[in-house]
């Protein structure tokens, strides 16, 4: 069985890099935040680890090997005590001016690995803190993760890397631009996070945030729309873009609950109370958009959201997500009724989006 390898830089990646770039004393040994729990998660996901590091002039008078070896051995001992073991430790001791074939981003140190057919290269990756680590990954033809540091930039932390590699998250990034609106939406269906929504309509922001919060997925949505005309384009296009993001993140929908329940349930169905109001939502990620709404609102607006657009939000969401949604609401307070609608749909989505197996949940073999 093939196994993926994580090629990991040492200084600035496993342990913090000091200002003089040499970890030549025990006092300088500091571990990077979250490296141990993240590597344990990756280990449990089947990853093997290889350290590959440039140590400029190691073994010279300016950087004696004796000064290097003690802190390095302690680092290895600590990792080992936590259940993290390295398949190999590969160190290049040349200077940059020498242009050695073994110095990252060159691949000379890993020639044997390139010939190893037991490695799952499609899942293997490089983690480092410098642009040279990214170039090294490009030279190997595998994914790169550059850790976020003040010195070299980067956008990843260890927890995010472990999530990206071990959880195989269902993510999507959607950019949608028309003459009326410009939207950017990011979703991660396998990570919970505080939602961030900005449409220029405060109450609508609050309602869309309910979908992420109670739907159990990370949601970021930003919209610049023609609010000087009215709210319609912003409300509609935000829902369309979110539905597109959900559809793209789901891919072929393999392993999802689809309906949310095992047994005779025909859909993921949720009845949710909010004070005197109550809403029921039933969803099916069938790939066939359909929306049925049973309810009415007496107020023209709740906050800055026209109530006539509430059903339109869900109709638009269904259109691009390929979602079948039946939504019913009853109550006296329109604020409560609108919020109950969004929360009920969110809780139904949580069940339908959940991973429950490995198969496509359809006798047709596709959704």
């Amino acid at each position: 069985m093939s196994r993926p390898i994580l090629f990991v830089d040492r200084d600035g990646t496993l342990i913090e890099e000091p200002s003089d770039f040499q970890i030549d004393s025990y006092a300088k040994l500091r571990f990077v935040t979250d490296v141990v729990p993240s590597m344990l998660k990756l280990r449990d996901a089947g990853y093997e680890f290889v350290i590959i590091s440039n140590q400029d002039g190691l073994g010279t008078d300016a950087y004696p090997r004796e000064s290097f070896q003690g802190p390095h051995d302690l680092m290895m001992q600590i990792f080992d005590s936590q259940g993290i073991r390295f398949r190999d430790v590969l160190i290049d001791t040349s200077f940059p001016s020498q242009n050695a074939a073994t110095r990252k981003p060159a691949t000379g140190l890993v020639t044997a690995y390139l010939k190893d057919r037991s490695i799952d290269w499609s899942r293997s990756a490089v983690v480092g803190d410098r642009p040279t680590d990214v170039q090294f990954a490009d030279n190997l033809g595998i994914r790169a993760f550059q850790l976020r540091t003040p010195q070299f930039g980067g956008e990843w932390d260890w927890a995010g890397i472990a999530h990206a590699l071990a959880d195989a998250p269902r993510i999507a990034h959607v950019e949608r631009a028309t003459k009326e609106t410009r939207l950017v939406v990011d979703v991660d269906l396998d990570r919970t996070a505080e939602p961030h929504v900005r449409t220029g309509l405060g109450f609508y922001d609050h309602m869309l945030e309910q979908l992420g919060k109670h739907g159990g997925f990370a949601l970021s949505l930003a919209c610049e729309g023609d609010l000087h005309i009215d709210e319609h384009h912003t409300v509609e296009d935000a829902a369309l873009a979110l539905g597109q993001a959900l559809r793209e993140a789901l891919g072929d929908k393999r392993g999802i609950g689809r309906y949310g329940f095992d047994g005779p349930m025909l859909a993921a169905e949720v009845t949710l109370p909010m004070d005197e109001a109550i809403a029921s939502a039933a969803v099916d990620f069938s790939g066939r958009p359909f929306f049925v709404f049973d309810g009415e609102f007496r107020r023209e607006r709740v906050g800055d959201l026209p109530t006539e657009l509430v059903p339109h939000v869900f109709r638009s969401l269904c259109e691009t997500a390929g979602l079948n949604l039946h939504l019913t609401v009853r109550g006296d307070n329109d604020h409560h009724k609108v919020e109950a609608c969004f929360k009920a749909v969110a809780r139904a989505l949580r069940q339908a989006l959940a991973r429950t197996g490995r198969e496509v949940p359809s006798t047709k073999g596709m959704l």
Side-chain angles (χ1 to χ4, degrees):
M1 180 179 178
S2 61
R3 292 172 64 87
I5 289 184
L6 198 66
F7 295 95
V8 190
D9 180 47
R10 197 190 80 134
D11 303 354
T13 303
L14 294 174
I15 50 180
E16 295 181 2
E17 189 165 50
S19 58
D20 62 2
F21 303 109
Q22 288 187 0
I23 301 172
D24 51 10
S25 69
Y26 294 106
K28 292 181 178 180
L29 186 62
R30 298 285 188 276
F31 286 82
V32 171
T33 301
D34 289 333
V35 63
V36 169
S38 298
M39 292 186 74
L40 287 173
K41 182 174 182 177
L42 289 164
R43 178 204 65 183
D44 293 343
Y47 278 83
E48 294 182 340
F49 307 117
V50 172
I51 294 175
I52 181 162
S53 175
N54 294 335
Q55 296 290 327
D56 298 4
L58 178 61
T60 64
D61 291 342
Y63 193 7
R65 183 168 286 276
E66 295 77 14
S67 300
F68 165 87
Q69 202 64 47
H72 177 80
D73 289 347
L74 178 58
M75 177 196 76
M76 298 295 287
Q77 180 185 349
I78 291 171
F79 276 122
D80 186 73
S81 73
Q82 299 304 304
I84 299 169
R85 296 172 181 85
F86 294 91
R87 175 169 167 172
D88 214 342
V89 178
L90 307 173
I91 294 176
D92 178 76
T93 62
S94 68
F95 289 101
S97 59
Q98 295 176 269
N99 294 317
T102 52
R103 181 180 178 84
K104 288 187 298 182
T107 60
L109 278 181
V110 295
T111 300
Y113 287 92
L114 294 172
K115 299 177 181 178
D116 189 342
R117 296 184 178 181
S118 70
I119 297 173
D120 183 351
W121 289 102
S122 66
R123 295 175 59 204
S124 296
V126 172
V127 180
D129 64 320
R130 299 179 183 231
T132 50
D133 295 303
V134 176
Q135 184 60 54
F136 176 63
D138 289 343
N139 291 341
L140 292 177
I142 59 178
R143 189 171 180 181
F145 294 91
Q146 186 179 355
L147 283 175
R148 183 169 50 248
T149 64
Q151 298 97 324
F152 304 109
E155 59 183 44
W156 290 91
D157 58 23
W158 267 108
I161 294 167
H163 173 60
L165 291 175
D167 298 332
R170 299 166 295 172
I171 60 177
H173 173 80
V174 170
E175 296 187 21
R176 189 178 192 274
T178 70
K179 293 181 179 180
E180 299 159 343
T181 59
R182 291 186 300 277
L183 278 133
V184 178
V185 182
D186 288 281
V187 298
D188 183 339
L189 304 184
D190 298 297
R191 181 172 65 88
T192 58
E194 287 301 311
H196 297 283
V197 178
R198 187 180 70 256
T199 66
L201 300 170
F203 185 72
Y204 189 40
D205 291 353
H206 184 48
M207 292 301 98
L208 292 179
E209 287 170 353
Q210 304 305 315
L211 295 180
K213 182 70 173 181
H214 295 281
F217 60 90
L219 168 63
S220 173
L221 185 151
C223 176
E224 295 180 8
D226 54 0
L227 294 177
H228 60 285
I229 296 177
D230 73 0
E231 306 88 351
H232 185 97
H233 298 143
T234 293
V235 171
E236 178 182 63
D237 288 1
L240 289 171
L242 176 55
Q244 180 183 344
L246 290 176
R247 187 188 73 243
E248 291 183 8
L250 282 171
D252 65 3
K253 303 176 188 174
R254 187 175 302 276
I256 69 167
R258 176 181 173 180
Y259 303 119
F261 292 94
D262 293 327
M265 296 296 295
L266 294 180
E269 186 170 357
V270 169
T271 298
L272 186 140
M274 184 159 183
D275 295 342
E276 89 300 336
I278 190 164
S280 296
V283 303
D284 174 13
F285 273 99
S286 63
R288 301 182 298 277
F290 205 90
F291 176 60
V292 177
F293 179 67
D294 182 9
E296 59 182 20
F297 305 104
R298 291 192 293 269
R299 290 169 58 180
E300 180 180 353
R301 292 172 176 269
V302 176
D304 46 17
L305 178 65
T307 54
E308 69 174 3
L309 291 180
V310 172
H312 193 61
V313 170
F314 296 112
R315 185 173 293 107
S316 300
L317 184 73
C318 290
E319 180 181 332
T320 50
L323 182 67
N324 182 353
L325 168 60
H326 289 244
L327 178 61
T328 301
V329 66
R330 298 285 184 270
D332 298 322
N333 184 294
D334 280 354
H335 181 125
H336 293 163
K337 289 161 67 178
V338 173
E339 189 162 351
C341 284
F342 278 86
K343 287 181 175 178
V345 170
R347 298 300 295 192
L349 287 175
R350 178 190 286 257
Q351 297 168 0
L353 294 170
R355 283 173 158 162
T356 60
R358 297 177 180 270
E359 303 300 320
V360 175
S362 171
T363 55
K364 297 177 182 178
M366 61 179 295
L367 287 171

